[in-house]
């Protein structure tokens, strides 16, 4: 039996929802409070998993078969969970992770069409059953999120290039998952200005830190 003293918090949502921006802001506040914080992301998050991320997100990623994509995501996840997330949690860190298993259920399942039971089995295998203590869902309508990504500039990856219907299914999938897991999810109104979104995130994070 592994003893975990840290807290595992995941940030989920569609494209351009503001997760990356808020993880940095929340981490800065928690560090000021003297907490040990690890910020990380999926796919990727450590040296070996980032190599798999490159295979998934560059232009060639568009050519993987859906099941190959799922296997690659979970291969990266197994490296990430085993070598990075679990050791950080065992050392008592607050781990803030940009996307995790909920992204697989929405991107590859709800929007991508792979059967949910296969995804759940793969996720469980890759994570050895590790689940987030809480998940912040950044609720932003797809049109607004895609516009933010566009405004940010830079090259798009092949997920951002998917059509409007894909992003609508994704958003609906996230909302359904929130309904099914009301205890784990906190909905963040991420259409609000940055400061306000940070306040909502910190309120949720502080709730779990106090009850822990
Ligand atoms: N993927 C998958 O298919 N299956 C899986 O299991 C996993 C992932 C784990 C990873 O891409 C891709 O992998 C992802 C799903 C897929 N699809 N895509 N694309 P990524 O890590 O490169 O990208 P992302 O996770 O989608 O993040 P993002 O598009 O960069 O969005 P974000 O991190 O949520 O947003 P941001 O970068 O913080 O903000 C976007 C812009 O909006 C930026 O210019 C901000 O300054 C601005 N912003 C942020 N907040 C606000 C507010 N409140 N107001 C106004 N403007 C704002």
């Amino acid at each position: 039996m592994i003893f975990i003293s840290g807290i595992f918090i995941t940030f989920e949502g569609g494209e351009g929802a503001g997760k990356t921006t808020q993880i940095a802001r929340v981490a800065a506040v928690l560090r000021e409070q003297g907490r040990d914080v690890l910020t990380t992301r999926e796919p990727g998050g450590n040296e070996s998993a980032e190599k798999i991320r490159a295979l998934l997100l560059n232009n060639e990623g568009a050519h993987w078969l859906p099941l190959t994509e799922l296997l690659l995501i979970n291969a990266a996840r197994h490296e990430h969970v085993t070598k990075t997330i679990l050791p950080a949690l065992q050392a008592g860190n607050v781990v803030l992770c940009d996307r995790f298993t909920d992204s697989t259920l929405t991107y590859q399942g709800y929007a991508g069409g792979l059967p949910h039971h296969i995804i759940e089995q793969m996720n469980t295998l890759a994570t050895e059953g590790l689940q987030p203590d809480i998940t912040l869902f950044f609720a932003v309508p797809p049109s607004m999120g895609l516009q933010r990504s566009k405004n940010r500039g830079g090259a798009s990856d092949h997920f951002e290039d998917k059509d409007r219907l894909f992003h609508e299914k994704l958003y609906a999938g996230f909302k359904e998952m929130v309904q099914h897991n009301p205890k784990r999810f906190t909905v963040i109104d991420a259409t609000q200005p940055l400061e306000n979104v940070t306040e909502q995130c910190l309120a949720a994070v502080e709730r779990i830190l106090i009850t822990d």
Side-chain angles (χ1 to χ4, degrees), residues 18-152:
K19 302 176 279 57
T20 311
T21 308
Q22 293 299 334
I23 284 181
R25 294 169 75 102
V26 170
V29 172
L30 294 179
R31 285 182 181 128
E32 270 171 29
Q33 293 172 352
R35 292 187 187 272
D36 294 323
V37 180
L38 173 78
T39 63
T40 188
R41 67 172 180 185
E42 288 213 339
N46 66 20
E47 200 183 339
S48 48
E50 287 288 327
K51 287 183 185 156
I52 302 173
R53 177 187 172 96
L55 293 175
L56 281 159
L57 295 192
N58 68 20
N59 290 337
E60 284 167 27
H63 304 301
W64 297 121
L65 291 168
L67 186 57
T68 311
E69 184 176 85
L70 176 67
L71 291 164
L72 284 170
I73 287 167
N74 273 303
R77 178 166 295 140
H78 187 60
E79 289 287 313
H80 184 212
V81 167
T82 309
K83 294 180 180 170
T84 301
I85 296 181
L86 279 175
L89 290 173
Q90 283 157 16
N93 281 257
V94 178
V95 176
L96 307 178
C97 188
D98 195 342
R99 299 195 179 281
F100 196 57
T101 47
D102 297 314
S103 280
T104 323
L105 263 175
T106 48
Y107 277 79
Q108 280 64 48
Y110 284 98
L114 284 177
H116 289 200
H117 71 278
I118 304 265
I119 297 174
E120 276 161 0
Q121 279 172 7
M122 290 295 312
N123 284 350
T124 304
L125 190 67
T127 60
E128 299 175 16
L130 176 71
Q131 291 197 349
D133 293 291
I134 56 164
T135 299
L136 308 187
F137 168 56
F138 279 49
V140 169
S143 53
M144 183 187 262
L146 288 168
Q147 189 58 48
R148 282 184 185 170
S149 291
K150 214 168 142 194
N151 295 346
R152 184 183 49 196

